[in-house]
Amino acid sequence: MTAPTETRKFEAEVAQVLHLVTHSLYSHKEIFLRELISNASDACDKLRFESIANPALSAGDSELHIDVSWDETARTITVRDNGIGMTRDEVVANIGTIASSGTRRFLEAMSGEQKADARLIGQFGVGFYSAFVVADKVTVITRRADAPESEGVKWESDGKGEYSLEQVDQPQRGTSVILHLKADEDEFLKGWQLKSLIRKYSDHVAFPIRMPVEKDGKPTDEFESTNAASALWTKPKSEISDEDYQGFYKSLGHDFNDALAWTHNRVEGSQSFTTLLYIPSQPPFDLMMGGRDERKGLKLYIKRVFIMDAAEELLPNYLRFVRGVVDADDLPLNVSREILQHNRQLDRIKAACVKRVLDLIEKLAKDEPEKFATFLKAFGNTLKEGISEDATNRERIAKLLRFASTKGEGARQNVSLDDYIGRMAVGQEAIWYVTADNYVAAAGSPQLEAFRAKGIEVLLMFDRIDEWMVGYLGEYEGKKLRNVAKGELPLDEAEKKQQQEVAKEAEPLLKKLKDLLGERVGEVKVSARLTDSPSCLALSDHEMAPHLARLLREAGQELPESKPVLEINPGHPLLKRVEAEADEGKAKDLANLLLEQAEIAAGAQLADPAAFVQRMNRVLLGT
Ligand code: ADP
Ligand code: MG
C-alpha cells in the first residue's frame, strides 16, 4: 500500500540556511554541481563499504557511477547515482532536519563578525542546499539499496519552507537529484558547460562521472565518462602532476584555494599503507570556529574502499588542519570506530602520519620560507598545542615555533629558539621571555629594562596560547625557559651585593609603601628588573600572567585572588617623592598610582578604575 503524499515544514534552522545559501552563493552558483556530485560519490562509497558484508546490495549493478544529464525542454539538470540511496526516514533526517551540528555552525559562520566564505559550504555539511541557488524546485527520487522497489521515496521542495514526501516505485537503487532551473540559469543547460564544471571541480572523484554523448547538439541515451575516475593516491608519484594533486585536494577538502603543501608516501612491509596528506593554505572553517567535535578531513580507506572519516583516530588534535587520505592494506574491512580506537596497527599508521606532517613542515621551514610564514600565520598557534599534547615530538615542534624578540624585527614572529640559543651570551643559562596581550604591550614591559641594559635577548610572546605552551615546554635543548617577570634575575656577585645594599637603604621606603598600600599588595620589594620605570609587578613561579588572568576572568572563569608583589626602582624621582611626602593622603595617592601603573603595564584589570582616575587627577592638579 502506498502512503499518501505528505507535506512537512523544514525545521526553522534549515529554512534559515536555505535563505542564507541562496543569497550568499549567487556569485558562485556553479558550486551546486560539485556538492551534488560529492554527495553522489559519498553514496557510492557507502554502498561499496556495505557490500563487503552484504554483496547482494550491489548485485546486478556493481559498476558504481554518477550520471549528470540535462534536458533543455524541461529545463532540468539531473545528478543520478547508483549508490546507497535513502529510506524515507533518512530523507527526512538528512535533508529536512538538522542532520548534524553543521547547520548551526554554518549559520554562525555566515552571520558572525568574521564571515566565512560561502564557497566553503561543503565543509559545513549543508552542501545539498546549494541546489536551491540555481533551482526553484528540487526533486529527489531515491531508494535505499536494501529496500524493496515499492519503497522508493520522492522528496520535493521549492526551498521556501516546506517539502513534500511521497512513496513511489523505484526499480533502481540509488538517488536522482533533479534540479528545475530558475528562469535565468540557462547557462547550465549546456553539455559543454556542465562538462567543464565537472573537469574543474570533480575530476578527481574516484567513480566515473558520466554524461550523455551529444549528437547534433542534443544529448542521446548513450553515456560516456568525463573524469579520471581513479583513486589518485594509488598512482605512482611520477605520474601525478601538481595540478592533479591540487585538484584532488580541492574536492577532498571542499576548498577553492590551492593546498600549501602535501606529502605522498607508500610504506611497504609487514604493514603496508599509503598516505596523502595536505596542509591547506588557509584555516578550514572548523578551525576558525574552534570546533573540535566531528573532526573531518582525513579519510580512511582500506584497500581502496572508503571506510570512514577518521581524522580523530589518525591525527592528534594539534594537527587537525591536515586534510588527506590514508589507505591501509592490512586492516580488516569490517573495522568499527571502537576497534580503531585501540588498534596497534592504527597506532603505527598514526605515528607515521604525524612524522610525515612534521617532516613536511620542517621542509617548508628549511626550503620555502614564504610558505612556512603562511603556514605559521594560519596554523602556528594550533601547532603550539602539540607542545602539551605530543610529548614525544615536543622538541621537534618547539624547533618549528617562531617568536618576536627584543633583537628581532619589530612585531615579526620569526625568531626560533635555535636562533636565540645561537645568540646567547657566554654564561647565560636561561631562555628569557615575556608574555602580554599584544606586541606593543610585550615590547613595552617594564620588566625588560634590565635585560635591555645588559643586552640579554628576550622573546616577546603575545599569542593567547603562549603562556600555557611555555609552561609545558619548560626547557629547550637543556635551557630553561624563564619569564622575565618571575623569580630572581641572574645577577653576578657584584650586582647581588649592590642590590642588597640598595634594598637595605630602601627599607624605610619599602615599609612606608607597604603601610600605605595595606591589603592591596602582598609585598613591596626593590627591583633588579627596572632601570627607567618606577615600578612593575613581579610574579611568583606558579602565578599566571596578569593579562591572562584578566582574559580568563572576562570569559567567566573563577580564579583565586592573589595579591601582587610590587617591585620598585628606589632611584626613580617618583619614589623620591613618596619618600619625601609628609602628607599621608598625598603619599597614599602616589603609592597607589605606582601600583596601578604597574598593573596597567602588565595588562591586569584595575580593581577600581574610577578611583584611579580621581587619584591621577588629584596628583596632576597638585591638590
Ligand atoms: P554532507 O554531504 O556534508 O553530509 P550535505 O548537505 O551535502 O552534507 O548532504 C546531507 C546528507 O544527505 C548526506 O550526509 C547524506 O546522508 C544525504 N544525501 C545527500 N545526497 C545523497 C545521495 N545522493 N545519496 C544518498 N544520500 C545523500
Ligand atoms: Mg555533501
Side-chain angles (χ1 to χ4, degrees):
M1 217 202 71
T2 311
T5 309
E6 179 191 352
T7 305
R8 296 195 185 193
K9 275 196 175 9
F10 284 116
E11 280 194 352
E13 276 162 317
V14 174
Q16 266 174 285
V17 168
L18 278 167
H19 180 84
L20 253 177
V21 165
T22 39
H23 287 82
S24 48
L25 265 179
Y26 61 88
S27 48
H28 309 286
K29 292 173 187 168
E30 76 274 7
I31 296 281
F32 79 91
L33 192 61
R34 177 189 80 185
E35 293 303 324
L36 296 180
I37 289 175
S38 151
N39 287 348
S41 166
D42 291 348
C44 291
D45 270 331
K46 283 180 200 157
L47 181 81
R48 189 154 66 178
F49 179 59
E50 288 195 20
S51 300
I52 297 164
N54 182 4
L57 283 184
S58 48
D61 184 12
S62 59
E63 296 286 313
L64 298 173
H65 53 82
I66 300 157
D67 289 350
V68 177
S69 55
W70 72 99
D71 182 334
E72 257 178 285
T73 335
R75 308 196 65 262
T76 57
I77 294 174
T78 300
V79 178
R80 170 168 170 69
D81 65 72
N82 57 352
I84 192 73
M86 286 179 274
T87 64
R88 185 187 180 95
D89 287 348
E90 284 170 336
V91 171
V92 172
N94 295 338
I95 55 187
T97 44
I98 305 166
S100 70
S101 52
T103 312
R104 190 162 294 122
R105 283 186 288 171
F106 182 73
L107 288 174
E108 282 164 10
M110 296 305 294
S111 49
E113 255 168 58
Q114 214 192 342
K115 280 194 187 155
D117 191 310
R119 284 176 289 175
L120 296 174
I121 184 164
Q123 294 183 10
F124 296 86
V126 292
F128 173 79
Y129 300 123
S130 64
F132 288 100
V133 179
V134 295
D136 49 20
K137 186 167 86 176
V138 176
T139 311
V140 177
I141 298 173
T142 183
R143 175 168 72 76
R144 177 125 182 139
D146 50 6
E149 286 191 11
S150 61
E151 284 182 20
V153 182
K154 181 172 165 190
W155 177 100
E156 200 162 74
S157 176
D158 61 3
K160 298 245 160 62
E162 289 181 346
Y163 60 89
S164 68
L165 274 174
E166 191 183 339
Q167 186 167 341
V168 295
D169 283 338
Q170 178 63 5
Q172 307 141 303
R173 67 156 196 264
T175 303
S176 299
V177 179
I178 303 153
L179 309 181
H180 307 265
L181 293 189
K182 290 180 182 167
D184 46 358
E185 305 298 350
D186 287 9
E187 57 172 312
F188 296 114
L189 283 174
K190 294 186 181 63
W192 63 265
Q193 167 72 336
L194 292 170
K195 191 174 286 179
S196 81
L197 290 179
I198 293 173
R199 290 253 165 82
K200 182 165 174 203
Y201 290 115
S202 311
D203 203 30
H204 293 284
V205 167
F207 300 96
I209 303 170
R210 312 186 318 178
M211 288 184 70
V213 177
E214 283 182 83
K215 209 173 161 205
D216 306 327
K218 297 263 170 279
T220 62
D221 291 342
E222 195 190 329
F223 278 79
E224 67 183 357
S225 182
T226 60
N227 64 327
S230 72
L232 185 83
W233 64 92
T234 59
K235 290 195 200 168
K237 281 199 222 183
S238 57
E239 286 173 27
I240 310 176
S241 68
D242 284 2
E243 285 86 59
D244 290 337
Y245 277 120
Q246 292 288 16
F248 181 67
Y249 165 73
K250 286 179 188 160
S251 56
L252 182 82
H254 291 268
D255 200 349
F256 48 88
N257 294 308
D258 277 351
L260 188 68
W262 60 85
T263 171
H264 183 192
N265 300 92
R266 167 103 190 128
V267 173
E268 304 273 5
S270 63
Q271 192 182 352
S272 303
F273 56 91
T274 303
T275 54
L276 172 53
L277 304 169
Y278 291 91
I279 298 177
S281 51
Q282 282 182 348
F285 106 92
D286 55 347
L287 205 72
M288 292 176 346
M289 306 288 290
R292 294 196 171 194
D293 47 346
E294 290 182 54
R295 271 170 51 203
K296 282 197 175 178
L298 200 61
K299 292 179 181 294
L300 174 65
Y301 286 74
I302 297 176
K303 296 186 203 68
R304 298 181 198 193
V305 177
F306 173 69
I307 305 296
M308 64 178 96
D309 278 298
E312 258 158 287
E313 288 77 9
L314 290 167
L315 278 176
N317 214 13
Y318 73 98
L319 296 179
R320 62 187 176 279
F321 50 84
V322 171
R323 299 288 178 259
V325 167
V326 170
D327 194 341
D329 291 3
D330 311 310
L331 287 171
L333 274 164
N334 61 357
V335 289
S336 66
R337 210 169 276 286
E338 288 65 45
I339 294 179
L340 282 184
Q341 270 150 8
H342 325 271
N343 182 293
R344 294 184 66 204
Q345 270 167 293
L346 206 78
D347 288 344
R348 236 171 288 146
I349 297 178
K350 182 173 176 175
C353 286
V354 172
K355 181 180 178 304
R356 293 302 181 191
V357 174
L358 292 179
D359 286 347
L360 180 61
I361 302 173
E362 278 166 6
K363 210 169 120 234
L364 291 182
K366 196 162 145 278
D367 303 332
E368 302 197 69
E370 267 173 42
K371 285 189 179 176
F372 184 58
T374 307
F375 167 79
L376 285 181
K377 190 157 171 278
F379 307 115
N381 284 344
T382 318
L383 186 70
K384 284 174 188 167
E385 296 173 21
I387 295 289
S388 79
E389 195 187 350
D390 187 352
T392 325
N393 290 302
R394 189 169 285 162
E395 287 264 322
R396 275 190 89 178
I397 297 167
K399 207 178 259 303
L400 290 165
L401 304 181
R402 300 290 183 269
F403 304 97
S405 147
T406 51
K407 293 199 177 159
E409 307 157 61
R412 274 192 70 188
Q413 291 166 286
N414 59 357
V415 174
S416 70
L417 294 171
D418 290 325
D419 294 337
Y420 184 101
I421 290 178
R423 294 198 280 254
M424 269 165 79
V426 187
Q428 185 183 340
E429 280 167 10
I431 298 172
W432 292 95
Y433 67 90
V434 64
T435 64
D437 254 356
N438 53 62
Y439 168 72
V440 175
S445 303
Q447 288 93 340
L448 294 182
E449 289 169 3
F451 289 86
R452 284 222 171 84
K454 293 170 134 223
I456 299 175
E457 179 169 16
V458 178
L459 298 175
L460 306 171
M461 302 189 181
F462 44 89
D463 288 321
R464 208 172 281 194
I465 186 176
D466 285 340
E467 167 108 2
W468 180 79
M469 179 274 296
V470 137
Y472 274 98
L473 185 56
E475 58 174 60
Y476 177 78
E477 299 276 347
K479 309 262 184 292
K480 287 223 155 33
L481 278 104
R482 291 195 51 193
N483 188 329
V484 295
K486 284 187 184 178
E488 299 294 323
L489 290 196
L491 301 177
D492 60 34
E493 284 310 313
E495 287 169 324
K496 260 188 211 150
K497 192 136 183 283
Q498 199 205 347
Q499 172 81 5
Q500 277 162 0
E501 276 162 23
V502 177
K504 187 134 193 16
E505 213 171 298
E507 255 167 32
L509 174 61
L510 295 175
K511 180 160 185 321
K512 183 173 185 181
L513 282 167
K514 175 71 183 124
D515 290 344
L516 289 166
L517 292 168
E519 290 301 298
R520 287 196 70 185
V521 289
E523 202 185 336
V524 184
K525 294 200 314 199
V526 168
S527 184
R529 293 169 229 270
L530 300 173
T531 58
D532 302 330
S533 300
S535 62
C536 70
L537 295 187
L539 302 174
S540 65
D541 274 342
H542 299 287
E543 208 172 336
M544 187 184 292
H547 71 97
L548 203 68
R550 173 174 51 82
L551 287 173
L552 290 176
R553 288 210 179 90
E554 280 166 5
Q557 281 207 36
E558 295 215 15
L559 301 175
E561 291 289 338
S562 63
K563 287 195 190 149
V565 172
L566 180 66
E567 288 195 349
I568 56 155
N569 175 2
H572 194 278
L574 261 179
L575 284 127
K576 299 279 178 219
R577 249 176 91 180
V578 180
E579 211 166 13
E581 185 58 71
D583 180 300
E584 159 126 26
K586 286 184 177 167
K588 209 169 198 160
D589 275 349
L590 287 172
N592 276 292
L593 285 172
L594 283 171
L595 172 61
E596 282 158 342
Q597 59 177 276
E599 288 176 330
I600 292 172
Q605 196 163 28
L606 288 183
D608 187 348
F612 159 74
V613 171
Q614 286 161 7
R615 242 190 300 280
M616 190 176 64
N617 291 344
R618 279 197 297 272
V619 170
L620 286 173
L621 292 170
T623 51

